[in-house]
Amino acid sequence: MKTLIYWKNIKILITGGTSGLGRALAKQLVAAGAAVAVLGRDKAKLLALKEEHPEIKIIQGDISVKEDIHRIYSEAIEKLGDIDVLFNNASSLGPVPLRLLIDTDCEDFSRALETNVMGAFRLTKLVLPSMILKRTGVVVNISSDAAIQNYPTWGAYSISKSALDHLTALFAAELEKTGVRFLAVDPGDMNTELHRTAVPDANPEGLFTPEDSAMRLLHLLETEKYSAAHRGLR
């Protein structure tokens, strides 16, 4: 499954882009000719990515911090110009080790919502005006099967991803005639740092690689045959 010419010169912002699916997307998209900026909190990881792929633009910031959002957006515009595709990929598990909702502190629950929902909401609001003006653009929100399945101890993460799914569907319904498209996608269980943190004893041989999930997601987007509904790549 090869990426198509679809991505050449497309301007793309990826949050949570220094590891896992975000990093894999950035590398594959740059190889396909896209202009890519990644957002991450860890300066060392950003610099390592930049050293490996000098063509990738890097932005340091935290999507969960309201005060960071306008600066993040301004830097993205400075480095890329108007954004054609936004991948809201940054995610927080909530409390680690995972725990029952009754044992989840309000602050941990709030932190998951700020990253997985509010961060995506705020950044999407900023990129939408130029997309609407151009009558084209794509917002991809990275969801999870936990958004539609009731996994005990995954409460904060699960609820935040469910809210993200609905946020995606509502944006799509409200902006149906603008030319901007929205997608909430479950990339499957991947062999990533986030998954290892959540399930330390998981067998990596039974998990997707981030590279494979990224390729399948890009193929889905290239076909342009999708809707805002929760889509799984399993």
Side-chain angles (χ1 to χ4, degrees):
M1 193 185 299
K2 297 181 179 178
T3 53
L4 308 178
I5 197 67
Y6 178 94
W7 299 105
K8 192 170 181 62
N9 298 322
I10 300 294
K11 299 170 184 175
I12 299 168
L13 175 60
I14 304 171
T15 70
T18 59
S19 62
L21 180 65
R23 183 183 177 93
L25 283 169
K27 292 167 65 174
Q28 291 181 26
L29 286 165
V30 163
V36 178
V38 301
L39 170 69
R41 293 178 300 177
D42 191 313
K43 184 177 181 180
K45 289 183 178 179
L46 286 166
L47 293 176
L49 179 62
K50 182 70 173 177
E51 183 175 359
E52 183 180 349
H53 298 278
E55 61 272 42
I56 294 178
K57 283 78 172 172
I58 58 173
I59 303 169
Q60 185 177 11
D62 188 338
I63 197 71
S64 71
V65 178
K66 180 180 180 180
E67 292 74 19
D68 268 11
I69 296 295
H70 283 280
R71 177 188 59 78
I72 288 167
Y73 176 70
S74 296
E75 285 193 34
I77 293 300
E78 180 182 346
K79 294 174 185 291
L80 292 176
D82 286 340
I83 295 164
D84 299 312
V85 182
L86 169 63
F87 286 92
N88 284 311
N89 170 69
S91 288
S92 168
L93 280 171
V96 178
L98 301 180
R99 61 197 66 172
L100 298 173
L101 276 174
I102 196 171
D103 297 322
T104 299
D105 292 337
C106 295
E107 293 78 9
D108 287 332
F109 195 2
S110 178
R111 193 171 300 114
L113 292 171
E114 283 293 331
T115 299
N116 301 349
V117 185
M118 292 307 302
F121 173 67
R122 293 177 184 126
L123 192 53
T124 299
K125 276 172 59 71
L126 289 175
V127 305
L128 280 177
S130 65
M131 290 182 175
I132 293 171
L133 187 63
K134 294 182 298 183
R135 299 197 62 80
T136 184
V138 181
V139 177
V140 182
N141 292 325
I142 303 303
S143 186
S144 166
D145 64 326
I148 56 177
Q149 299 292 337
N150 298 319
Y151 297 133
T153 74
W154 286 75
Y157 180 80
S158 179
I159 292 166
S160 67
K161 290 299 186 179
S162 181
L164 183 65
D165 277 5
H166 205 56
L167 178 72
T168 309
L170 277 169
F171 265 132
E174 293 178 349
L175 300 177
E176 182 180 6
K177 298 180 180 180
T178 65
V180 183
R181 294 171 293 151
F182 297 83
L183 175 66
V185 62
D186 165 23
D189 293 335
M190 297 177 290
N191 185 14
T192 63
E193 181 179 346
L194 185 143
H195 192 275
R196 288 190 293 273
T197 300
V199 191
D201 58 349
N203 179 4
E205 293 183 0
L207 304 173
F208 293 117
T209 67
E211 291 74 19
D212 181 58
S213 289
M215 184 67 72
R216 288 182 294 121
L217 173 53
L218 296 184
H219 181 71
L220 171 65
L221 293 172
E222 287 162 357
T223 65
E224 302 188 19
K225 296 177 181 177
Y226 61 84
S227 69
H230 178 105
R231 284 290 297 270
L233 296 179
R234 296 170 183 277

